[in-house]
Amino acid sequence: MSKNLPPKEHDSTFKFLFEEKKDILLLVKDILKYKWAEMIDKDSIELVKTNYVTQDFMQVEADIIAKARLSEREVYFYILIENQSTVKRDMPLRILKYMISLWAQEIRKGVEVLPAIIPIVVYNGIDKRWNISTNLMEAFDIFRDDVFKYRVVDIIELDMKKFLKKQEDILGPIVFYLEQVREDKNELVKRLYEIEANLKSLSRGNIDRFINWAHYIIRPRLAEELKAEYDKIVERIKEGGVGKMGDFVSNVARLLDETKTKEFNMGIQQGIQQGIQQGIQQGIYRAKVEMAKKLIQKGYSDDEIAELTELEIDEIRKLRKEITN
């Protein structure tokens, strides 16, 4: 079911996640552990526009760009976040385009010192690990060790339990923890129950953002006939807020279990139908073979038998050889 989810739509589900200062801080300070992240002035973090028009009038659009300052220093910088669910070979070139466009904008403003731009790829692919070089200047031979690199946050490899223990009003650890097992309904149900307390700790705004994420990740994994019930559950959450998150967990877990049962039963039915069809085909084939043997014994030619039984000539010759030997 998840294979039908449009890749771009799936990638975009992470855009909303980093529209929150706390999630950006979690990413750069606690997950990637940049040394300078400890000095960020939290109140200075702001999102800026992500699309630019280059000199050749080509539009360039990044997923998330945040601007911030360091405490006690007149230094500002940008954090550029690109979300991916598939490995992209052109990622170094794409990031360079974003950075060049952003710097070009700063130059047009007349800045004397270009701000640092920290590129990050948040990758939520499950089947394949990120295997593209993070060195943006890899092609520049002897200079490649002297230029900047981007960091990859490979969600599958993160240990999110230490962040979940804090039960803070931060959505990132919850989403990452569930994303790790989104293709395994059994594990998804298990983890939904594990994070119930975390969901109950979320603010109204983060609950809405979680529901938005779940719409694109959990809902498509439900049986088609169960999606209407899921939508009703979501409506109750929107009306009741955090007090209804326990109901969300138990009911969505139930719908995922029902989906698994339906898929299992459907697989059995398909197996039975395939078995019946194979049995019928085998029965028809055996009848043709028996007919061919009788026609051989009565002296019919191979061509005549092929026409009457629709068997291949080579197969009839093989039967004739078995009978005459």
Side-chain angles (χ1 to χ4, degrees):
M1 198 174 298
S2 61
K3 292 180 181 178
N4 297 325
L5 189 65
K8 184 65 178 175
E9 194 170 57
H10 189 203
D11 292 345
S12 67
T13 61
F14 274 83
K15 285 188 178 182
F16 79 95
L17 186 62
F18 297 109
E19 292 172 357
E20 184 71 28
K21 295 179 182 181
K22 291 180 181 178
D23 289 304
I24 293 175
L25 279 173
L26 175 82
L27 184 66
V28 298
K29 187 172 73 172
D30 298 315
I31 293 178
L32 291 174
K33 299 184 185 302
Y34 284 116
K35 293 180 180 179
W36 46 262
E38 297 290 341
M39 298 184 287
I40 292 177
D41 178 358
K42 298 177 183 179
D43 295 330
S44 74
I45 299 175
E46 60 177 298
L47 296 179
V48 299
K49 73 171 187 176
T50 61
N51 62 306
Y52 307 92
V53 178
T54 60
Q55 281 188 322
D56 57 355
F57 302 104
M58 294 291 289
Q59 184 163 313
V60 177
E61 182 172 2
D63 282 341
I64 293 290
I65 298 179
K67 183 178 180 180
R69 288 182 180 273
L70 298 183
S71 300
E72 301 177 0
R73 294 185 62 182
E74 286 300 311
V75 176
Y76 73 92
F77 60 97
Y78 290 95
I79 299 170
L80 188 156
I81 302 173
E82 184 71 358
N83 305 302
Q84 289 296 319
S85 58
T86 57
V87 176
K88 296 291 186 182
R89 295 278 167 192
D90 67 341
M91 185 53 63
L93 179 60
R94 188 186 305 185
I95 287 177
L96 279 172
K97 286 181 179 178
Y98 298 154
M99 297 175 75
I100 291 168
S101 299
L102 190 53
W103 275 323
Q105 176 181 266
E106 295 299 300
I107 290 171
R108 286 194 290 271
K109 291 179 182 177
V111 299
E112 296 182 1
V113 179
L114 284 176
I117 301 176
I118 312 301
I120 301 168
V121 173
V122 177
Y123 173 59
N124 65 340
I126 286 181
D127 298 325
K128 185 184 293 186
R129 303 279 49 79
W130 191 270
N131 57 4
I132 309 301
S133 173
T134 58
N135 191 329
L136 295 177
M137 297 296 182
E138 188 70 32
F140 287 85
D141 196 21
I142 61 173
F143 304 107
R144 64 180 180 271
D145 294 328
D146 300 317
V147 294
F148 50 86
K149 299 179 180 180
Y150 66 91
R151 301 280 298 276
V152 173
V153 181
D154 194 332
I155 290 174
I156 293 298
E157 297 180 356
L158 294 178
D159 177 11
M160 299 312 303
K161 287 190 174 181
K162 59 183 178 181
F163 300 113
L164 290 169
K165 288 179 181 178
K166 299 177 183 179
Q167 294 184 15
E168 297 176 322
D169 182 26
I170 304 179
L171 191 58
I174 293 173
V175 169
F176 287 168
Y177 194 55
L178 295 178
E179 278 280 346
Q180 290 174 335
V181 296
R182 67 177 185 270
E183 301 299 345
D184 186 337
K185 292 185 180 66
N186 287 324
E187 191 62 28
L188 190 55
V189 168
K190 177 183 174 184
R191 292 197 178 190
L192 274 171
Y193 281 118
E194 286 180 15
I195 61 158
E196 184 173 342
N198 297 88
L199 291 173
K200 291 178 178 178
S201 300
L202 295 179
S203 61
R204 176 79 244 189
N206 273 335
I207 288 175
D208 291 340
R209 295 165 68 222
F210 174 79
I211 293 300
N212 184 38
W213 169 83
H215 177 79
Y216 292 106
I217 304 304
I218 294 179
R219 189 178 185 275
R221 287 162 174 78
L222 298 175
E224 200 62 37
E225 59 271 27
L226 298 177
K227 290 180 179 178
E229 184 177 353
Y230 173 87
D231 293 338
K232 291 179 182 178
I233 294 168
V234 169
E235 286 304 313
R236 292 200 295 271
I237 298 302
K238 290 180 179 179
E239 293 172 3
V242 68
K244 291 291 183 179
M245 289 312 290
D247 292 342
F248 176 87
V249 170
S250 59
N251 281 296
V252 171
R254 172 178 56 81
L255 293 179
L256 285 167
D257 279 331
E258 288 182 23
T259 298
K260 286 187 302 176
T261 301
K262 288 178 181 293
E263 290 174 346
F264 179 75
N265 291 336
M266 187 180 298
I268 291 177
Q269 288 299 320
Q270 289 175 346
I272 291 173
Q273 289 298 323
Q274 289 174 357
I276 291 172
Q277 285 298 115
Q278 289 174 357
I280 292 172
Q281 293 299 322
Q282 290 173 358
I284 293 172
Y285 173 74
R286 284 196 296 268
K288 289 181 178 181
V289 169
E290 292 303 317
M291 173 67 75
K293 288 179 179 179
K294 291 179 181 179
L295 293 174
I296 290 171
Q297 291 172 342
K298 289 187 176 184
Y300 283 77
S301 69
D302 291 346
D303 289 335
E304 290 173 326
I305 296 172
E307 184 178 350
L308 291 169
T309 63
E310 298 181 349
L311 292 174
E312 296 292 330
I313 288 289
D314 289 343
E315 198 166 0
I316 294 168
R317 289 172 180 166
K318 184 179 178 181
L319 289 172
R320 186 182 293 279
K321 188 175 181 180
E322 291 175 359
I323 292 172
T324 55
N325 285 343

